[in-house]
Amino acid sequence: MTTVLLVRHGRTDANTAGVLAGWTPGVRLDETGRAQATQLAERLAPVPLSAIISSPLERCKQTAGMLRDGRRGLRVRTDRRLGEVRYGEWEGRELRELGKEPLWKTVQAHPSAVRFPGGESLRELQARAVTAIRDWNAELGTDATYLVCSHADVLKAIVADALGLHLDLFQRIQIDPCSLTVIRYTDMRPFVVRQNDRGGYVDDLLPAPKRKRKRRSGGSDAVVGGGTG
């Protein structure tokens, strides 16, 4: 199975200012965001990674670069399909102002019907992001564990797909700055094994001993009753 570590970029000044940054260039991590990325890098240091893929936007590349530090021979690769939503005319505006727009209620309750003025639809976002993940899964292989650094709405759309949720339910998913969400993709189905994780151990993400791997049959099967974890 392929294991994908989904990481949202660390906090930025735009986050604290309540501004919808979108594709605005030059948005970087603030002091807290850098500390968040440093802490996550320390937590993930024991986990072997096959690749690190990032949104092309600076805040994600900065976060991904900090997560790459100390991993010789590994470089950050970018994929535009994992870039932020194209918010169009909403980009750069304050969230409190956008909350007064008639479209805001639709974004909250019926996102599959939303197309941002001058931008893309959330259905298009989900299609490109999920396609990117599936393509990287195929390229890196079934034994790969790799990291993707992207944006909240992008990651929420990927998680909704993995959970089999309609896009209209994706606002129920929380993705905090520099949080870790983990999805394991098998031949039969994805398993969301962590979601919006902001601390704790990572032992379950380490490669299993070969003897355990041999005994593991039906990796695509869900354990009836929940199993031992």
Side-chain angles (χ1 to χ4, degrees):
M1 63 185 76
T2 308
T3 302
V4 186
L5 280 56
L6 301 175
V7 174
R8 183 183 172 191
H9 61 79
R11 199 183 78 174
T12 69
D13 289 333
N15 294 143
T16 55
V19 171
L20 189 64
W23 284 73
T24 303
V27 177
R28 294 179 60 83
L29 306 186
D30 63 13
E31 184 177 354
T32 296
R34 292 191 296 274
Q36 290 170 336
T38 298
Q39 182 182 40
L40 182 58
E42 292 172 354
R43 287 181 60 211
L44 294 180
V47 181
L49 297 176
S50 302
I52 297 178
I53 317 298
S54 174
S55 155
L57 292 168
E58 184 63 28
R59 55 196 183 273
C60 284
K61 291 195 296 182
Q62 186 181 5
T63 303
M66 295 178 71
L67 298 177
R68 184 204 63 83
D69 284 350
R71 297 179 184 270
R72 292 184 179 179
L74 199 62
R75 63 184 178 88
V76 175
R77 302 156 75 177
T78 60
D79 188 332
R80 292 186 68 82
R81 296 173 297 177
L82 296 167
E84 180 62 288
V85 183
R86 295 284 185 177
Y87 292 113
E89 295 172 14
W90 279 31
E91 187 173 292
R93 295 174 61 188
E94 292 186 0
L95 293 172
R96 64 181 180 180
E97 176 187 334
L98 292 172
K100 301 174 184 177
E101 295 279 353
L103 184 63
W104 182 268
K105 290 184 179 180
T106 310
V107 172
Q108 300 303 315
H110 192 19
S112 67
V114 169
R115 177 178 294 278
F116 292 98
E120 69 180 334
S121 72
L122 287 172
R123 288 182 292 108
E124 290 169 338
L125 156 71
Q126 186 177 50
R128 66 169 163 87
V130 171
T131 298
I133 294 296
R134 295 291 185 172
D135 286 350
W136 284 109
N137 288 352
E139 178 175 331
L140 296 171
T142 56
D143 291 329
T145 296
Y146 71 99
L147 186 146
V148 167
C149 187
S150 188
H151 310 266
D153 283 348
V154 180
L155 298 180
K156 285 161 61 175
I158 294 169
V159 173
D161 172 78
L163 290 171
L165 292 178
H166 194 282
L167 185 61
D168 284 344
L169 300 178
F170 101 134
Q171 297 290 25
R172 300 184 182 194
I173 299 168
Q174 182 79 13
I175 301 286
D176 292 324
C178 238
S179 62
L180 174 67
T181 295
V182 180
I183 303 175
R184 286 198 167 110
Y185 288 86
T186 73
D187 293 338
M188 294 292 291
R189 62 177 69 84
F191 290 87
V192 178
V193 297
R194 291 188 184 214
Q195 204 270 307
N196 201 41
D197 169 21
R198 297 191 296 171
Y201 67 92
V202 293
D203 296 3
D204 60 319
L205 302 179
L206 301 178
K210 289 184 179 180
R211 61 181 180 83
K212 289 187 178 180
R213 215 177 257 181
K214 288 179 181 177
R215 282 169 24 201
R216 185 182 292 166
S217 59
S220 293
D221 293 344
V223 178
V224 177
T228 59

